[in-house]
Amino acid sequence: MSDTRMPVQKRSMESKKKILDAGFALFCEKGFYKTNTIAIAKRAGVSTGAVYSYFKDKRQIYIAAFEDYLNGISSQLIIKLESRQPFQLIDFVDSWITFYMDLYADSGGALAQLRMMIVDDEEIRYHFSQLENRYFSNIVEILIKNGIVPNNLLERVYTCCILIDGLRQENSAFSHNGLNFDVFKQQIRESVIGLLNV
Amino acid sequence: MSDTRMPVQKRSMESKKKILDAGFALFCEKGFYKTNTIAIAKRAGVSTGAVYSYFKDKRQIYIAAFEDYLNGISSQLIIKLESRQPFQLIDFVDSWITFYMDLYADSGGALAQLRMMIVDDEEIRYHFSQLENRYFSNIVEILIKNGIVPNNLLERVYTCCILIDGLRQENSAFSHNGLNFDVFKQQIRESVIGLLNV
Amino acid sequence: MSDTRMPVQKRSMESKKKILDAGFALFCEKGFYKTNTIAIAKRAGVSTGAVYSYFKDKRQIYIAAFEDYLNGISSQLIIKLESRQPFQLIDFVDSWITFYMDLYADSGGALAQLRMMIVDDEEIRYHFSQLENRYFSNIVEILIKNGIVPNNLLERVYTCCILIDGLRQENSAFSHNGLNFDVFKQQIRESVIGLLNV
Amino acid sequence: MSDTRMPVQKRSMESKKKILDAGFALFCEKGFYKTNTIAIAKRAGVSTGAVYSYFKDKRQIYIAAFEDYLNGISSQLIIKLESRQPFQLIDFVDSWITFYMDLYADSGGALAQLRMMIVDDEEIRYHFSQLENRYFSNIVEILIKNGIVPNNLLERVYTCCILIDGLRQENSAFSHNGLNFDVFKQQIRESVIGLLNV
DNA sequence: TATGAATGAGAGTTCATTCAT
DNA sequence: AATGAATGAACTCTCATTCAT
């Protein structure tokens, strides 16, 4: 038991952070239902009681942990995409695809888990329903800022997002026998460019 | 050692069917984890014991119920698509989109649930991993039979499937503010036609 | 389904016999608690209902099966022992040891199981409490018939029985490290002979 | 993944102890199969959940409870036997018989239960298989220490143990009609002395 | 405030027994 | 008489949550 007392608030914040990190890691690894609160507490190095002093219940840990994560990555993606100057559409699309796939690869299943829980649980669905909208809006903004302004831009961006996410799915979840990934990627890339380059 | 019952009597087969139907309905409504075996038994109008004489465990009910369902719908979709003669690409694509969306709409969450469980549970994933491949192959077959043979057809079909499923998602899972569904649908439609009409 | 109808009573007897045999085999292999009635019915090739038309409950199958078995072996042992003529004490003791051990070896755990259930279950204990008395009496009879009449014969025989059963235990249940079985057997043999040869 | 709790707080250790005591009492009274975890929890005055935070399953309660018990009694018997000085063989044998029978009488069925479960359950058998060897070795040691060193001592001791346990059985499990217990005891006593006094 | 032991409802599952066919 | 599907109480075990310390 360390003698040096830290400011109460700061220690408290650290415990909360540890719980969120532990919860997030476990939820990604094993999913919501196969993760229990005792395991979260253990991984976080705190007591089970502590978990319930910071969060009303298990679901709130989930929501808070994924909110943190999403805030992190969404800004990350946008920052990376904005930083590539001067703007070239083809370069932008390639970066988008690359960054998006890296993000998923690094997420260790986080985004797949979240998609699942959005289907499964009403409260989680409600909480994250605006999630993708932010992402779309950000992309739309960047495009407008750089003079890419076809009609129905929002819908175009959405279609692009679906295509890019399809590529991601192919890469991670299923193994679709006989599919040539490079050919597929090239098709997606061309479709996206076609949609934005009017 | 105790193996699950092989229905012999008529009564028995009816019970098994009732369990599958009840299980399927509940799994779709509430998801795997929020459905318990007592509820399945009650809904099926049988005892809890009966459930376990037909199925080794809850997961097997899930697998059997969804297998039945998928066998039903996959042939349904293909039959509908093949029945539209003479073949016209545009007409084919419109039918595809319509039928696919109807299927999901009628499934009452079944397909969304299944996607979720494929992510969540290893045994279920293993069991249904080949599921989408069958669907792709069927579409490819129809196209070839009707003279649509661009290069990289499999990849093109896959891309089309992703686009159409994106449309479906938009319709069911999320509400993306400000998105004009008809515009979006038109974009998808054109992208699909563009991919197949080389 | 064989067309030739057997006399009802005879068929009935056969089913009962099959249930007893199946029950006995399973009880020996797995014990009373790990054997279930469905398995007995299956092994016997009859319906579960049939089991309950011949026996009030699972315990009665156990009792009847072991009673049959014990009647069989006790007469067997006595017949074998009586058939060795002319009577020589040493030869008698050797035969006794040999036959007893063979009996156990062939019983496939039956007697060990029975001992266990006699401890565990009041009704079974009650039913078989006289079991060993018959065995002692038989041995005593043979000895008297052949002029072996030391004082306290019943007690001597009982002590002999314990010694011989100890030899059997050593051979089957435990592995007592470092024990030389032949030496041990020789000791038992001599103690038994000593007890009877006054 | 969830490991059983390592008691840290004092309260916790008391609970574990209470569960062990309750389990032991019930296992002795009613046997393993007729004792359920709810009854153990109730008798221990704890919740069912508590039982499973200290023990992986019911069998582990059994094993731990009997291990505790055996550790207690095995040293007890040896200590009593060693404490009788100066060593006299006849006195030693009489003490051995007396203490052994008292032990069983006081055990309230514990040792009989354990013998039964050693036959019935593989894991329990494995856990306690060395049990009797320790007892034999202890007796052997005492005898050697006191100059009783006939050839084949281990086997002699084993034979003695069987005889003494036979006496114990007679006293507890069966009622062998017509057997004069005192005569029988005298026979056993003399056989044991004969085996050791060469 | 932090701890972690304790809770207990409820989950999945088994199986001796019954009874409609 | 025979069948075997059906029953449902009882069992073992889990875990989100609480609360005495």
Side-chain angles (χ1 to χ4, degrees):
Chain A
M1 195 130 309
S2 103
D3 292 342
T4 57
R5 274 246 187 97
M6 279 186 234
V8 169
Q9 241 185 325
K10 193 173 174 195
R11 276 173 64 205
S12 163
M13 295 292 288
E14 273 170 8
S15 284
K16 187 166 185 177
K17 182 72 168 51
K18 280 190 281 180
I19 292 163
L20 286 172
D21 288 347
F24 182 72
L26 287 166
F27 289 138
C28 291
E29 275 170 39
K30 314 167 46 146
F32 183 76
Y33 290 104
K34 292 173 181 166
T35 296
N36 64 50
T37 47
I38 289 173
I40 295 174
K42 205 169 275 175
R43 177 106 146 211
V46 303
S47 65
T48 50
V51 170
Y52 283 86
S53 68
Y54 294 113
F55 300 96
K56 199 182 128 284
D57 59 25
K58 188 175 142 184
R59 192 192 273 113
Q60 301 311 314
I61 307 174
Y62 191 93
I63 290 173
F66 276 82
E67 189 144 78
D68 274 12
Y69 172 70
L70 291 169
N71 286 336
I73 61 162
S74 91
S75 48
Q76 223 178 290
L77 182 66
I78 301 309
I79 288 166
K80 277 191 179 169
L81 285 176
E82 281 188 317
S83 69
R84 301 193 70 91
Q85 291 299 336
F87 183 90
Q88 294 282 10
L89 184 59
I90 290 178
D91 179 50
F92 175 81
V93 169
D94 285 336
S95 301
W96 187 2
I97 291 173
T98 306
F99 293 155
Y100 188 86
M101 293 195 64
D102 287 353
L103 213 56
Y104 248 93
D106 295 348
S107 84
L111 293 169
Q113 278 296 337
L114 184 56
R115 270 167 189 272
M116 178 184 130
M117 287 307 292
I118 283 172
V119 171
D120 187 74
D121 187 276
E122 187 158 5
E123 191 173 343
I124 291 173
R125 173 164 56 251
Y126 179 77
H127 201 91
F128 290 106
S129 60
Q130 292 307 311
L131 163 70
E132 294 202 330
N133 284 333
R134 264 183 282 155
Y135 165 49
F136 301 147
S137 309
N138 284 327
I139 300 285
V140 167
E141 251 174 65
I142 297 175
L143 290 170
I144 290 174
K145 207 186 296 178
N146 288 287
I148 310 288
V149 283
N151 62 336
N152 302 319
L153 179 57
L154 185 57
E155 287 77 10
R156 283 172 197 272
V157 166
Y158 187 49
T159 308
C160 293
C161 289
I162 283 167
L163 284 163
I164 292 171
D165 191 64
L167 187 61
R168 189 274 314 163
Q169 273 177 60
E170 172 54 28
N171 207 32
S172 59
F174 297 91
S175 60
H176 291 115
N177 305 335
L179 209 67
N180 181 326
F181 184 75
D182 290 330
V183 167
F184 178 51
K185 184 175 178 179
Q186 194 53 31
Q187 274 177 25
I188 297 283
R189 188 174 168 273
E190 277 165 21
S191 297
V192 170
I193 292 169
L195 274 157
L196 300 178
N197 190 25
V198 187
Chain B
M1 186 59 37
S2 93
D3 17 4
T4 49
R5 190 177 298 165
M6 279 281 295
V8 181
Q9 298 187 351
K10 193 177 166 205
R11 190 168 41 133
S12 167
M13 297 186 63
E14 276 165 8
S15 284
K16 186 167 187 177
K17 182 74 168 49
K18 279 190 283 179
I19 293 162
L20 283 172
D21 288 348
F24 183 72
L26 287 166
F27 289 139
C28 291
E29 276 171 37
K30 312 165 49 144
F32 183 76
Y33 291 104
K34 292 174 182 165
T35 297
N36 65 48
T37 48
I38 290 174
I40 294 175
K42 204 167 275 175
R43 176 103 147 216
V46 302
S47 64
T48 53
V51 169
Y52 285 89
S53 51
Y54 295 109
F55 301 96
K56 201 183 128 286
D57 58 25
K58 190 175 134 183
R59 192 193 271 115
Q60 301 309 315
I61 308 175
Y62 191 93
I63 290 174
F66 276 83
E67 188 145 75
D68 275 12
Y69 173 70
L70 291 169
N71 286 337
I73 61 161
S74 92
S75 47
Q76 225 178 287
L77 181 66
I78 302 308
I79 288 166
K80 278 191 179 169
L81 287 176
E82 280 187 317
S83 69
R84 302 193 69 92
Q85 291 298 338
F87 182 90
Q88 295 281 12
L89 184 58
I90 289 178
D91 178 50
F92 175 82
V93 169
D94 285 335
S95 302
W96 187 2
I97 291 173
T98 306
F99 293 156
Y100 188 86
M101 294 197 63
D102 288 351
L103 212 55
Y104 250 93
D106 296 347
S107 84
L111 292 169
Q113 277 296 336
L114 184 56
R115 270 168 189 272
M116 175 184 134
M117 287 307 290
I118 283 173
V119 172
D120 188 73
D121 187 275
E122 188 158 4
E123 190 173 344
I124 291 173
R125 174 164 56 251
Y126 179 77
H127 202 90
F128 291 107
S129 61
Q130 291 306 311
L131 167 68
E132 295 204 328
N133 285 333
R134 265 183 281 156
Y135 163 51
F136 301 147
S137 309
N138 284 328
I139 301 286
V140 167
E141 251 175 65
I142 296 176
L143 291 170
I144 291 174
K145 209 187 294 178
N146 289 286
I148 311 288
V149 283
N151 63 337
N152 301 319
L153 179 57
L154 185 58
E155 286 77 10
R156 284 172 196 271
V157 165
Y158 187 49
T159 308
C160 294
C161 289
I162 282 167
L163 284 163
I164 293 171
D165 191 64
L167 189 60
R168 189 273 312 164
Q169 275 177 58
E170 172 54 29
N171 207 30
S172 58
F174 298 90
S175 60
H176 291 114
N177 303 337
L179 208 66
N180 181 325
F181 183 74
D182 290 329
V183 167
F184 178 50
K185 184 175 178 180
Q186 193 54 30
Q187 272 177 25
I188 297 282
R189 188 174 168 272
E190 276 163 23
S191 296
V192 170
I193 293 168
L195 275 157
L196 299 178
N197 189 26
V198 188
Chain C
M1 195 128 312
S2 104
D3 292 343
T4 58
R5 275 245 187 97
M6 279 185 233
V8 167
Q9 240 185 324
K10 191 170 174 198
R11 275 174 64 204
S12 163
M13 296 291 289
E14 274 170 7
S15 284
K16 187 166 185 177
K17 182 71 167 52
K18 280 190 281 180
I19 292 162
L20 285 172
D21 289 348
F24 182 72
L26 287 166
F27 290 137
C28 292
E29 274 170 40
K30 312 165 49 143
F32 183 76
Y33 291 105
K34 292 174 181 164
T35 297
N36 64 51
T37 47
I38 290 173
I40 294 175
K42 206 169 272 174
R43 177 104 146 212
V46 303
S47 66
T48 51
V51 170
Y52 282 86
S53 68
Y54 294 112
F55 300 95
K56 196 182 131 283
D57 58 26
K58 188 175 141 185
R59 191 192 273 114
Q60 300 311 315
I61 307 174
Y62 191 92
I63 290 173
F66 276 82
E67 188 144 77
D68 274 13
Y69 173 70
L70 291 169
N71 286 336
I73 61 162
S74 91
S75 48
Q76 225 178 289
L77 182 65
I78 301 309
I79 288 166
K80 278 190 178 169
L81 286 176
E82 282 188 315
S83 69
R84 301 193 70 90
Q85 291 298 335
F87 181 90
Q88 296 281 11
L89 183 59
I90 289 178
D91 179 51
F92 174 82
V93 169
D94 285 337
S95 303
W96 186 3
I97 292 173
T98 306
F99 293 157
Y100 188 85
M101 293 197 63
D102 287 352
L103 214 56
Y104 248 94
D106 295 348
S107 83
L111 293 170
Q113 279 296 336
L114 184 57
R115 270 166 190 272
M116 176 183 132
M117 287 307 291
I118 284 173
V119 172
D120 187 74
D121 187 274
E122 187 159 5
E123 191 173 343
I124 291 173
R125 174 165 54 250
Y126 179 76
H127 202 91
F128 290 106
S129 60
Q130 292 306 312
L131 164 68
E132 295 202 330
N133 285 332
R134 264 183 281 155
Y135 165 49
F136 300 146
S137 310
N138 285 326
I139 301 284
V140 167
E141 250 174 65
I142 296 175
L143 290 169
I144 291 173
K145 208 186 296 175
N146 289 285
I148 311 286
V149 282
N151 63 336
N152 301 320
L153 180 56
L154 186 57
E155 287 76 11
R156 283 173 197 271
V157 166
Y158 187 47
T159 308
C160 293
C161 288
I162 282 167
L163 285 163
I164 293 172
D165 191 64
L167 187 61
R168 188 274 314 162
Q169 274 177 59
E170 172 55 28
N171 206 31
S172 59
F174 298 91
S175 59
H176 291 114
N177 304 334
L179 210 65
N180 181 326
F181 184 74
D182 290 329
V183 168
F184 178 50
K185 186 176 177 180
Q186 194 54 31
Q187 274 177 24
I188 297 283
R189 189 175 167 271
E190 277 164 21
S191 296
V192 171
I193 292 168
L195 275 156
L196 300 177
N197 190 26
V198 187
Chain D
M1 185 61 36
S2 94
D3 16 4
T4 49
R5 190 177 299 164
M6 278 282 292
V8 181
Q9 300 187 349
K10 192 177 166 206
R11 189 168 41 133
S12 169
M13 297 187 65
E14 275 165 10
S15 284
K16 187 167 188 177
K17 182 73 168 50
K18 279 190 282 178
I19 293 163
L20 282 172
D21 288 347
F24 182 72
L26 287 166
F27 289 139
C28 291
E29 276 172 37
K30 313 167 48 146
F32 183 77
Y33 291 105
K34 291 174 181 164
T35 298
N36 65 49
T37 48
I38 292 173
I40 295 175
K42 203 167 276 175
R43 176 104 145 214
V46 302
S47 65
T48 53
V51 170
Y52 285 90
S53 51
Y54 295 109
F55 301 96
K56 201 183 127 284
D57 57 26
K58 189 175 133 182
R59 193 192 271 113
Q60 300 310 315
I61 307 174
Y62 191 93
I63 290 174
F66 277 82
E67 189 144 76
D68 275 10
Y69 173 70
L70 291 170
N71 286 336
I73 61 161
S74 90
S75 45
Q76 226 178 287
L77 181 65
I78 301 309
I79 288 166
K80 278 191 180 170
L81 287 176
E82 281 187 317
S83 68
R84 302 192 71 88
Q85 291 299 338
F87 182 90
Q88 295 281 11
L89 184 59
I90 289 178
D91 179 50
F92 175 82
V93 169
D94 285 335
S95 302
W96 187 2
I97 291 173
T98 305
F99 294 156
Y100 188 86
M101 294 197 63
D102 287 351
L103 211 57
Y104 250 92
D106 295 347
S107 85
L111 292 170
Q113 277 297 337
L114 184 56
R115 271 168 189 272
M116 175 184 132
M117 287 307 290
I118 283 173
V119 172
D120 187 74
D121 187 275
E122 188 158 3
E123 190 173 344
I124 290 172
R125 173 164 55 251
Y126 179 76
H127 202 91
F128 291 107
S129 60
Q130 291 307 311
L131 168 67
E132 295 204 330
N133 284 333
R134 266 183 281 155
Y135 165 48
F136 300 148
S137 309
N138 284 328
I139 301 285
V140 167
E141 251 174 65
I142 296 175
L143 291 170
I144 291 174
K145 209 185 296 176
N146 290 286
I148 312 287
V149 282
N151 63 336
N152 301 317
L153 179 57
L154 186 58
E155 287 77 11
R156 285 173 195 271
V157 165
Y158 188 50
T159 308
C160 293
C161 289
I162 283 167
L163 285 162
I164 293 171
D165 192 65
L167 187 62
R168 189 273 313 163
Q169 276 177 58
E170 173 54 29
N171 206 32
S172 59
F174 298 91
S175 59
H176 291 115
N177 304 336
L179 208 66
N180 181 325
F181 184 74
D182 290 329
V183 169
F184 178 49
K185 184 174 176 180
Q186 194 53 30
Q187 273 177 25
I188 297 283
R189 187 175 169 273
E190 276 163 24
S191 296
V192 170
I193 292 168
L195 275 157
L196 300 178
N197 189 26
V198 188

